[in-house]
Amino acid sequence: MLAGGVESASTSTRPERAAFAPASLGDPDMGFAADVLAEKAGVSRERQDAYAARSHALAAATRDAGGFDDEVVPVGDVRRDERPRTGLTVDRLARLRPAFRPAVEGGTVTAGSSCGVNDGAAAVTVVDADTHRRLGVPGLRVLATATAGVDPNLPGLGLVPAAEQALDLAGLRVGDLDVVELNEAFAGQVLACCDALCLDPSRVCVEGGALALGHPWGASGAVLLVRLFSQLVRAGRGRYGLAAIAVGGGQGVAMVVERCR
């Protein structure tokens, strides 16, 4: 099977987004919801800016070292991700105003600590065990998947119960993971999820994530799995990996994989 997705945000003509959840339950815009989540979780503006700067620095360094080359398909003259910014420091990020709520109302999320709205596509191939043995190539074995629901007013937390359920099904703990790819929709949201999972943020997206590389919605789930493949299989960075993403409307999806040969 082939699985993947594509997003062409730059050509979208939709004047406003479709509903994520019934209005009676709450259907906030994602930026506003991330801002509220950061406040409720006690994630400071300083932590968000530091995490965002880290994501850009890691992604730029990985890109410039050719770390993404084996997973990127050139399109026309575009042969590398264009969004990661070099020299995006905490001091520069600190100058940006909150983008979704005024600072006087507790707003801390800025354009700099939010993912980019990007075009993108990604795809993976899924085969059965017999086919994998016949091909004789390394890959990732899917150990567990999970989908969970949370309060649609705090959709960014959706990946937390999904990740917990997937790890439980796989018989693993956070400490067993070698590579962790959480979709970086907003720095405050990722940090709130890390805190809830008792996961050190320094272990997440160690080559940069969506804050630097962008979040092409229809492709982002497959992008996370490609990132796991590159790090676990191509780079040989351990045995177990977790990919997880939160979805508008209060959903979360997670997958636990194991490198296999």
Side-chain angles (χ1 to χ4, degrees), residues 4-160:
V6 62
E7 192 68 55
S8 184
S10 66
T11 61
S12 174
T13 58
R14 180 185 292 275
E16 57 185 28
R17 67 167 175 82
F20 293 137
S24 59
L25 297 179
D27 186 28
D29 286 336
M30 297 299 283
F32 178 86
D35 208 325
V36 172
L37 173 58
E39 181 180 27
K40 288 183 177 293
V43 179
S44 68
R45 167 72 185 268
E46 291 74 20
R47 283 186 71 194
Q48 295 176 56
D49 288 346
Y51 187 89
R54 166 189 179 269
S55 184
H56 279 273
L58 292 171
T62 301
R63 177 195 62 190
D64 295 345
F68 298 131
D69 289 357
D70 288 339
E71 65 186 61
V72 173
V73 178
V75 178
D77 294 330
V78 180
R79 298 180 176 275
R80 50 189 264 167
D81 277 297
E82 301 169 314
R83 190 172 189 273
R85 315 278 175 81
T86 56
L88 188 61
T89 64
V90 172
D91 288 341
R92 290 179 63 186
L93 288 167
R95 300 172 194 162
L96 299 177
R97 295 180 178 179
F100 306 103
R101 289 195 302 165
V104 295
E105 296 179 9
T108 57
V109 178
T110 71
S113 60
S114 305
C115 64
V117 179
N118 288 57
D119 295 349
V124 296
T125 302
V126 186
V127 301
D128 58 69
D130 289 340
T131 301
H132 180 254
R133 283 192 289 270
R134 177 173 56 81
L135 292 174
V137 296
L140 297 176
R141 178 183 292 112
V142 178
L143 296 181
T145 64
T147 302
V150 296
D151 181 354
N153 292 287
L154 297 173
L157 277 180
L159 68 84
V160 173

Side-chain angles (χ1 to χ4, degrees), residues 215-258:
H215 178 11
W217 312 294
S220 291
V223 168
L224 295 177
L225 292 177
V226 171
R227 298 268 56 243
L228 287 183
F229 186 94
S230 288
Q231 294 171 77
L232 287 170
V233 177
R234 290 193 175 107
R237 294 179 185 161
R239 181 178 179 182
Y240 297 114
L242 167 71
I245 189 169
V247 187
Q251 303 172 78
V253 184
M255 178 180 287
V256 177
V257 299
E258 177 185 18

Side-chain angles (χ1 to χ4, degrees), residues 166-248:
L167 286 168
D168 186 58
L169 289 169
L172 298 174
R173 297 174 297 178
V174 167
D176 298 318
L177 298 169
D178 300 295
V179 180
V180 180
E181 287 288 322
L182 305 183
N183 187 62
E184 294 178 344
F186 302 90
Q189 173 250 338
V190 174
L191 291 167
C193 290
C194 287
D195 291 350
L197 290 166
C198 297
L199 172 63
D200 184 345
S202 68
R203 298 179 57 202
V204 176
C205 299
V206 298
E207 293 184 332
L211 289 170
L213 298 169
H215 178 11
W217 312 294
S220 291
V223 168
L224 295 177
L225 292 177
V226 171
R227 298 268 56 243
L228 287 183
F229 186 94
S230 288
Q231 294 171 77
L232 287 170
V233 177
R234 290 193 175 107
R237 294 179 185 161
R239 181 178 179 182
Y240 297 114
L242 167 71
I245 189 169
V247 187

